[in-house]
Amino acid sequence: MSTIGTVATLADFARRSDPNGKIMKIVELLSKDNPILKDMLWMEGNLPTGMLTTVRAGLPSATWRLLNYGVQPSKSKTKQVTDHCAMLEAYAEVDKKLAHINGNSAEWRLGEDMAFLEAMNIEMASTIFYGDDIVSPAKFVGLAPRYNATTGADSSDNVISAGGSTANKQTSIWFITWDQLSTHGIFPKGSKAGFQHQNLGEVTLDDADGGHYQGYRSHYSWDCGLTVRDWRRNVRVCNIDTTALSGSSAPKLFDFMTKAYHKLNRFSGKKVIYCNETIATYLDLQAQSKTNVYLTSKEVAGEEVTSFRGIPIRQCDAILDTEAVIS
C-alpha cells in the first residue's frame, strides 16, 4: 500500500530542492503556459519506477441484529494498482559564438531553450489527459483511458455524456480533485521531484550538412507519472459535440456540470475544472445570454479566475476538439 506523505505542487518542490533558483524559474515558466501544472499535486512514488497503491474496491456489510442472533463477519474489498512513471527528455543546443555575442548569460540561454521547454510542456499536458501505455508504451497512463466508458467500468458512474454523436468532433470538461487520496502526479522513489536540468557545457555540434561547430548543450528530463487512487473524486463530462454549440439544440453544459459538481461535492481536496478554448468561450457566451449565478469571475492574486460554483475553471488547450464518441 502506498505511503501517505506530503503532497505539493511542482513549484513547491522546486523551491525546496534548488536554492539557486534555476529549476524554480523553469518550473514557473512551464506553469505559466500550462495551468494544469500549476494546480497538479505531486508525491514521491514508493517504487523506483512509480507507485503501488491499494485502492478500495468494495465496502464491508453491516447487519441489523436481533437478540440471540449473531452477525456474519464481513470485510472490505481492495485491489492493488501500479502506476508507472515515464521519461520525458529534451536537449537544447546553442551556437557558442552566438552565446558569446549575447553575453553567454544563463538567462539568455534559458530564453533560447524555451522552445524545447514549451515542447515538453505541451507533451506533458497532452499525456496527463490522453496518455495510454498500450498505444504508446513509453508514456504513462493519463485520465482519458481511466474514464473512457459510460457503462460497464468502475468509473462509468463518473463519466457523464452530453449526448454528442458526431464522430471525432467531441470534447470533454474535466472535474479533477487534486489530493493525496485522490489524484496526483508521481515521480520515482529517490528522485528530485522528477524535473531536472543539467548544463552539459561546451560540445561539438553538427549542422545539417555534416559540418562541425562548437556550442553549448542543456539537458532537460522529467520522470513522472499519474495516479488516481479514488475514481469517485473525478468526473468527465464527455461527448460535447463541437459542431453543435449554437442554436436551440446546443448542449446545456451547465446542467451537466451541475451533475458533475454534486458527484464531487461531498469529497475534500483541491477541485479544479479543465476545458479547452472552445468550451471556455462557449461557457462565457452561455453565461452572458442569461442570468447565471453559478458562474463567477473575480481577481485572485492579480489573476482573473472564472469559477463554477466556487470551483476554478482553467483553460487547457491540451484537451482536444477531436475526441471520439464515448459509449
Side-chain angles (χ1 to χ4, degrees), residues 40-322:
M40 192 172 180
L41 302 180
W42 295 83
M43 282 184 65
E44 181 178 357
N46 53 18
L47 299 173
T49 57
M51 177 171 283
L52 176 65
T53 305
T54 300
V55 298
R56 189 77 63 195
L59 297 175
S61 61
T63 304
W64 293 103
R65 188 179 75 85
L66 292 170
L67 289 174
N68 301 319
Y69 286 86
V71 174
Q72 293 296 322
S74 66
K75 63 179 181 179
S76 63
K77 297 179 181 179
T78 60
K79 62 180 181 180
Q80 289 192 319
V81 176
T82 300
D83 286 298
H84 295 286
C85 291
M87 299 179 291
L88 182 63
E89 300 188 23
Y91 286 92
E93 300 171 342
V94 297
D95 190 304
K96 178 181 176 181
K97 293 286 187 181
L98 183 61
H100 283 205
I101 290 173
N102 288 274
N104 195 25
S105 68
E107 289 76 14
W108 182 84
R109 285 185 60 185
L110 180 59
E112 292 297 293
D113 293 353
M114 280 307 299
F116 296 89
L117 294 174
E118 178 65 12
M120 294 181 71
N121 188 26
I122 293 171
E123 182 61 32
M124 178 62 177
S126 176
T127 305
I128 290 172
F129 287 107
Y130 300 108
D132 190 335
D133 61 355
I134 296 177
V135 177
S136 301
K139 296 183 178 181
F140 61 82
V141 180
L143 292 166
R146 303 171 194 255
Y147 296 84
N148 63 351
T150 57
T151 59
D154 288 343
S155 62
S156 293
D157 191 51
N158 282 29
V159 180
I160 301 172
S161 175
S165 59
T166 306
N168 300 320
K169 294 293 183 180
Q170 310 300 312
T171 191
S172 297
I173 299 174
W174 290 90
F175 286 64
I176 304 299
T177 303
W178 299 114
D179 189 78
Q180 62 183 356
L181 296 178
S182 177
T183 304
H184 57 80
I186 54 176
F187 54 91
K189 182 178 180 180
S191 67
K192 296 181 179 180
F195 193 89
Q196 298 183 49
H197 164 256
Q198 184 179 7
N199 182 358
L200 300 179
E202 184 176 340
V203 295
T204 300
L205 303 175
D206 297 327
D207 63 22
D209 298 320
H212 307 305
Y213 64 97
Q214 292 304 105
Y216 294 113
R217 178 179 290 159
S218 298
H219 180 225
Y220 296 99
S221 62
W222 198 347
D223 297 348
C224 52
L226 181 76
T227 188
V228 178
R229 302 192 63 186
D230 187 349
W231 60 263
R232 300 172 303 165
R233 301 187 185 211
N234 302 322
V235 180
R236 181 183 189 180
V237 179
C238 64
N239 295 341
I240 303 172
D241 196 328
T242 58
T243 66
L245 293 179
S246 61
S248 59
S249 61
K252 298 179 180 179
L253 293 187
F254 288 121
D255 292 354
F256 297 114
M257 292 172 69
T258 298
K259 292 180 180 179
Y261 169 83
H262 283 288
K263 286 185 178 294
L264 301 184
N265 190 38
R266 67 187 187 275
F267 295 115
S268 61
K270 180 182 179 181
K271 301 180 181 70
V272 186
I273 298 170
Y274 299 98
C275 62
N276 62 16
E277 180 182 352
T278 301
I279 297 303
T281 302
Y282 181 63
L283 290 176
D284 275 350
L285 292 174
Q286 278 198 331
Q288 293 171 19
S289 65
K290 61 179 180 179
T291 302
N292 193 313
V293 298
Y294 295 127
L295 192 69
T296 59
S297 183
K298 61 181 180 180
E299 186 174 302
V300 179
E303 177 184 357
E304 185 175 352
V305 177
T306 300
S307 301
F308 176 76
R309 303 191 72 148
I311 304 176
I313 301 173
R314 307 285 198 199
Q315 181 176 315
C316 191
D317 293 327
I319 302 174
L320 301 176
D321 276 340
T322 56

